[in-house]
Amino acid sequence: MAAITGDWETALKPEFSKPYYRDLYQKIREEYRTHVVYPPAQEIFTAFHLTPLHDVKVVILGQDPYHEPGQAEGLSFSVKKGIEIPPSLVNIYQELHDDLGYEIPQHGSLRSWAEQGVLLLNTLLTVRAHQAFSHKGIGWEEFTDAAIRVLDQEERPMVFILWGRPAQAKKVLIRQPERLIIESPHPSPLSAYRGFFGSRPFSRANDYLVRHGVPPVDWQIR
């Protein structure tokens, strides 16, 4: 399991010595040894590597990683170029088009968002192949709770986009009243029509950032 580096390492260092994290670390090592687990072990913390803490201005919080071969890469909803775009991301792109009129991308890499300060985080950071939520309850929830608390301690404007119930459960950790919190159902085909479509998260996030003197996100994937 690759280590977290940079300012995230400093901010999250207290977690690494807690009993839950030691147990989580051993559990994850055993899971990778005995099962097929996604994303690759060296990519578990990609979201933290690509989006340093001091750069975060938008958080997109999902549920758990994609659980089919070749999909998960440590960024919520993103897949590497050349991988078929998953249904949830197809719906995200449709909402992006409907919200901002942007061209629907031909690939599924969201790295350009991450590099602009959009933290693409899941509530769980690993999953067994073909078994959604298989790593629920082993300690990732506590770790991502800690990450949200760290973000909420930052004294600057920030948007939290919470897609799906596991993500929305983190809302109680966001205490600074000036934060913009955008909640909607998950973009999965099972739930997107219950309120994800039409939620306009991208324009709402940018409107908030501009109002607070923060450069908006270029949401167009090229």
Side-chain angles (χ1 to χ4, degrees):
M1 191 159 76
I4 293 179
T5 58
D7 55 1
W8 275 115
E9 178 186 17
T10 302
L12 291 171
K13 187 174 182 179
E15 301 304 305
F16 303 146
S17 60
K18 292 181 179 179
Y20 90 85
Y21 191 85
R22 293 197 297 268
D23 292 343
L24 170 64
Y25 182 81
Q26 293 303 323
K27 177 66 173 177
I28 291 300
R29 283 174 57 93
E30 180 67 10
E31 283 286 294
Y32 276 93
R33 189 182 70 82
T34 57
H35 297 84
V36 176
V37 175
Y38 301 127
Q42 68 272 18
E43 297 179 353
I44 292 174
F45 296 125
T46 297
F48 299 100
H49 296 156
L50 287 184
T51 312
L53 174 58
H54 66 270
D55 285 343
V56 176
K57 54 188 176 184
V58 178
V59 181
I60 293 181
L61 190 61
Q63 298 181 171
D64 64 340
Y66 295 125
H67 51 78
E68 296 303 322
Q71 292 183 323
E73 61 165 342
L75 300 171
S76 62
F77 301 105
S78 180
V79 296
K80 291 184 173 70
K81 292 182 179 180
I83 301 297
E84 183 178 358
I85 300 174
S88 291
L89 186 51
V90 168
N91 288 339
I92 291 169
Y93 283 171
Q94 184 62 54
E95 179 61 20
L96 178 65
H97 171 76
D98 294 345
D99 186 7
L100 294 173
Y102 288 170
E103 180 180 348
I104 293 178
Q106 299 302 306
H107 64 82
S109 175
L110 304 180
R111 285 181 172 243
S112 66
W113 292 358
E115 291 165 353
Q116 294 181 73
V118 180
L119 183 68
L120 297 168
L121 189 63
N122 281 311
T123 61
L124 312 177
L125 301 188
T126 56
V127 66
R128 283 187 190 177
H130 318 300
Q131 298 181 46
F133 290 109
S134 48
H135 284 173
K136 182 179 180 180
I138 66 172
W140 282 130
E141 294 92 342
E142 289 89 340
F143 184 75
T144 53
D145 278 358
I148 297 298
R149 290 191 185 98
V150 164
L151 287 163
D152 195 48
Q153 291 168 5
E154 295 290 295
E155 296 291 339
R156 63 178 188 275
M158 197 174 296
V159 181
F160 290 84
I161 300 175
L162 312 179
W163 286 339
R165 288 183 181 178
Q168 291 164 15
K170 304 283 193 187
K171 181 179 178 179
V172 297
L173 305 173
I174 305 166
R175 299 185 179 276
Q176 293 202 37
E178 69 273 15
R179 305 295 193 207
L180 175 62
I181 302 174
I182 300 173
E183 300 178 80
S184 78
H186 193 273
S188 161
L190 297 175
S191 56
Y193 287 93
R194 300 174 189 164
F196 172 77
F197 288 130
S199 61
R200 302 179 57 247
F202 308 104
S203 62
R204 291 166 65 191
N206 274 358
D207 288 347
Y208 168 90
L209 293 173
V210 170
R211 287 199 312 272
H212 288 81
V214 179
V217 176
D218 179 2
W219 295 106
Q220 179 68 73
I221 300 293
R222 295 174 176 85

